[in-house]
Amino acid sequence: MRTRKYTPAVVSCAALLAATALPAAADDTGGTGKDPVGAAELLAKVKTCDRISTGKYRTDQGGPAKVPVCGTEGAVFWKADMDIDCDGRITKVCNSRTDPSFQSQTAFPTSAGKPLDSARLPYVVVPGPGPLWDYRKSGIRGGGVAAVIHDGKVRYAVVGDTGPTGIIGEASYAAAVALGIDPDPRTGGAASGVTYILFKNSEVTPIESAGAAVTEGEALARKFVGQD
């Protein structure tokens, strides 16, 4: 749950190299065995915005409000930056020493009622319900499936946490690693160029299964682009 001030993104080359050396974000990789939907195919479906938010979001505290939440028949989406959410389970890379904004809880817990593990589970953050938009009214829920696109890569994640009501553009440490983005919660992230597509009325069970998110995500993505 971030309240970052508006500052230029600083990407640490050392941190990025370390991130690419990390193990896979989850033990189960999922997948359906079919050819995955590519970034270009998904982006072609979200070229135009039918705005469903009453206004626009900031990507950082103090920055300009310029990001609308858009809707289609089967999904909601936005195009923003990526701040790193390291909240949840305390790990070597996500704790109060590595992240000055660290919180030991996530809005949506595991099936056992424990905080999600940002270091291992790719998840996205939705703005908390507020005057701009209430994700719950758009068929989005904790454990819902999201496709996150950056630099030609598509990765699937769950809806795992909520953030400030006026700020958008955030995902877990593991989501950043999966996309090749510097995951350092202090200096990492991406300044722009990240597309978040959240599939309506979807849910991964259990929420902590990254493999299930991939399997469900690939199926929903094929349906979204008209392949099924």
Side-chain angles (χ1 to χ4, degrees):
M1 303 179 189
R2 289 294 81 96
T3 54
R4 277 190 175 183
K5 293 184 178 179
Y6 181 59
T7 53
V10 179
V11 177
S12 163
C13 293
L16 181 57
L17 289 172
T20 57
L22 289 174
D27 295 327
D28 48 344
T29 56
T32 61
K34 299 181 180 180
D35 290 338
V37 176
E41 295 170 282
L42 285 168
L43 291 175
K45 299 294 291 187
V46 296
K47 289 176 66 176
T48 59
C49 176
D50 181 5
R51 193 174 81 184
I52 59 173
S53 57
T54 59
K56 296 183 179 181
Y57 284 88
R58 305 177 192 278
T59 57
D60 296 286
Q61 186 177 9
K66 58 183 180 180
V67 179
V69 174
C70 312
T72 68
E73 182 178 354
V76 301
F77 65 93
W78 57 86
K79 302 175 183 182
D81 65 346
M82 180 183 286
D83 291 338
I84 307 302
D85 186 324
C86 229
D87 295 341
R89 180 181 176 185
I90 298 173
T91 62
K92 183 178 180 180
V93 295
C94 288
N95 55 67
S96 59
R97 295 184 302 278
T98 61
D99 181 3
S101 300
F102 178 78
Q103 298 182 42
S104 59
Q105 300 293 323
T106 49
F108 308 109
T110 69
S111 56
K114 297 181 179 180
L116 299 179
D117 186 345
S118 175
R120 295 193 63 80
L121 179 68
Y123 68 73
V124 300
V125 180
V126 293
L132 294 178
W133 178 55
D134 184 341
Y135 65 87
R136 300 170 298 184
K137 295 180 180 179
S138 297
I140 305 302
R141 66 189 73 170
V145 183
V148 190
I149 305 165
H150 175 70
D151 195 25
K153 303 182 185 71
V154 180
R155 298 294 182 265
Y156 296 101
V158 298
V159 176
D161 206 357
T162 58
T165 59
I167 296 177
I168 206 166
E170 188 175 4
S172 69
Y173 187 105
V177 170
L179 286 164
I181 294 171
D182 181 352
D184 190 304
R186 290 177 181 266
T187 61
S192 63
V194 182
T195 299
Y196 302 79
I197 303 173
L198 280 57
F199 298 105
K200 295 179 180 179
N201 302 311
S202 62
E203 187 173 10
V204 172
T205 304
I207 187 175
E208 64 270 19
S209 174
V214 173
T215 300
E216 185 69 10
E218 289 183 352
L220 289 168
R222 285 195 302 275
K223 183 177 179 180
F224 187 62
V225 302
Q227 290 186 7
D228 279 353

